[in-house]
Amino acid sequence: MLRVGNASGFYGDRFSAMREMLTGGPLDVLTGDYLAELTMLILARDRLKDPSLGYAKTFLRQLEECLGLALERGVRIVVNAGGLNPARLADAVRELAKSQGLDLAVGHVEGDDLLPRVKELGFPEGLLAANAYLGAFGIAECLRGGADVVVTGRVTDAALVVGPAVAHFGWGPGDLDALAGAVVAGHVLECGAQATGGNYAFFREHDVTRPGFPLAELHPDGSSVITKHPGTGGAVTVGTVTAQLLYETGGPRYLGPDVTARLDTVRLAEEGPDRVRIDGVRGEAPPATLKAGLNRLGGHRNEVVFVLTGLDIEAKAALVRRQFEEGLAADRRPAELRWTLARTDHADAATEEAASALLRLTARDGDPARVGRELGRVAVEMGLAGYPGFHLTAPPGPGAPYGVFEAAYIGAGEVEHTAVLPDGRRVSVPPAPVTATAQEEPEGEEVEAGGVDPGPTRRAPLGLVAGARSGDKGGDANLGVWARDEAGWRWLSRTLTTELLRELLPETAELPITRHLLPNLRALNFTITGLLGEGVAAQHRFDPQAKALGEWLRSRRLDIPEALL
């Protein structure tokens, strides 16, 4: 058995988690995921200011107090904190160990950085970062080479778990089922406390004041048990694990550079308190291409938020729009103006804030002046000539650059995946020897009608009978919805169609939606194409990462059989 824990789900996660995981119980490997689409843009801007940067600086500060402890306990550390500069972070870790008098072996993985090859690969110009998502075998090579700490750049999140499993169990590229099982365990662990009750739809059922971080007990066949250290907060249940499995995934085939994991084969079972077994996972050959994340600056954006209080909210909003747009000089008008009115006001409210609505203007343009001085000038000039009660949530600022993320694909053989071992040797990691062509997604097993009394129904929120978890993949939103028992699943799978989803979430009405069935998880997974525009950094909508999209859906009311309520 191999015990792999997680101590970070994003750049900025709980700083103390590394120490908590090292002291809370036995571990063989501790992983940390520091990268996201937005993080790569942040690191790219760091690197522009100082070429020696481009990595997650938080990780180094965590190591300052935990490196000796990890060595003492024999826990190896595998992180993607190297970001855009894994070699430099590896050097910094060595320098830290030397300053503490520690004998430390450090390896790193490189080859994901495609920025020097943008022209050759036909990528658009003006990119700040271009990185391929590498797999697990470079990590495994570093561990086999004796590394105590392995630093990577952009690898798949699950690779941080799969790599140690490959090194420990001796799996090869052909062990597809075992690799797929480890990918699923890695996906559950990658977002830290989201697997132990964080961001969980039914959070009121557990004490999630300070959830512990998860760990996986991995077995030679790729099966695992998800758990956490004794005495830590939160909970590990079939529900919390299901929620994380649905997060930022799409159809039944979960593509990766080492294996395609079939999510429709995953079986979950509670094995005891805070212990959920994952088994039955089947693997298929990976695709012949690797995903690459491309980050660039998209322009400049700004926003002005008008506070509308009391009566005549709609009329006040119309007046603001009319005055503002007429006040803009035609030759200084931003390329995009977007107005959204949030009716946060309540009738006969006991406080002024509760009586107020928010009218948000978002502007975008390639010219920073058009979303800075010009917007501020017009908004300020309206101050004494606008609607009654005119005021803003904040004075207009100068505007700020925003980023754009897009995915591209490159042949796996075109990437120089390299493991740099502690002794300095460079080992080339070949692509998967067998790959699969694109295949149609299985539609999922239709669920037989019956099992739910079709009699009386009651208008009620969907969240009384279903959980949800949502997130972003570039400009698309992922929305997973699951039922808590078989009766609920029979109803949910028949009821929550793409047509009904459009009705319940009107923002999605004109967008392409793909619906996938995952009967083993009693779940539906929807991909809503284009909901997030050009990705999180572009701040296209109120909730730019679709984090709360699932909770909005759960709050919507529909006719639910009383037998389920």
Side-chain angles (χ1 to χ4, degrees), residues 109-114 117 120-121 123 130-135 154 257 288-292 409-418 428-432:
V109 177
E110 58 186 43
D112 61 298
D113 186 2
L114 305 176
R117 302 171 57 199
E120 171 198 339
L121 297 171
F123 292 161
N131 297 82
Y133 287 72
L134 302 180
R154 179 75 278 186
T289 56
L290 298 182
K291 178 180 173 182
Y409 293 87
I410 179 174
E414 297 183 69
V415 175
E416 297 176 2
H417 186 176
T418 303
S428 179
V429 180

Side-chain angles (χ1 to χ4, degrees), residues 300-349:
H300 290 75
R301 71 180 296 278
N302 203 351
E303 67 177 36
V304 183
V305 181
F306 300 85
V307 183
L308 315 176
T309 304
L311 306 177
D312 305 317
I313 295 294
E314 299 285 347
K316 287 172 179 171
L319 176 59
V320 172
R321 291 189 61 165
R322 198 162 61 245
Q323 288 185 314
F324 196 96
E325 296 194 17
E326 288 181 6
L328 282 170
D331 63 342
R332 304 300 295 163
R333 185 183 181 88
E336 179 186 347
L337 288 175
R338 176 187 292 234
W339 297 88
T340 54
L341 176 61
R343 293 301 303 265
T344 52
D345 54 303
H346 300 267
D348 195 23

Side-chain angles (χ1 to χ4, degrees), residues 435-521:
T435 58
T437 54
Q439 301 178 57
E440 259 187 54
E441 286 284 19
E443 294 185 3
E445 178 185 332
E446 280 297 333
V447 179
E448 293 296 326
V452 176
D453 183 355
T457 62
R458 175 153 47 98
R459 199 81 176 164
L462 176 62
L464 294 184
V465 296
R469 173 69 62 77
S470 55
D472 64 314
K473 276 296 181 187
D476 302 338
N478 148 248
L479 172 56
V481 188
W482 78 93
R484 309 193 78 186
D485 55 38
E486 283 300 316
W489 168 236
R490 283 191 286 272
W491 173 81
L492 181 71
S493 62
R494 293 284 179 171
T495 303
L496 191 55
T497 61
T498 55
E499 292 75 17
L500 180 58
L501 187 72
R502 294 181 204 277
E503 291 177 26
L504 295 174
L505 305 182
E507 286 183 42
T508 70
E510 305 301 320
L511 299 173
I513 299 177
T514 307
R515 175 183 187 258
H516 299 284
L517 283 84
L518 298 169
N520 279 11
L521 301 178

Side-chain angles (χ1 to χ4, degrees), residues 227 236 270-275:
T227 183
V236 177
E270 292 202 6
E271 197 180 65
D274 294 319
R275 292 180 63 82

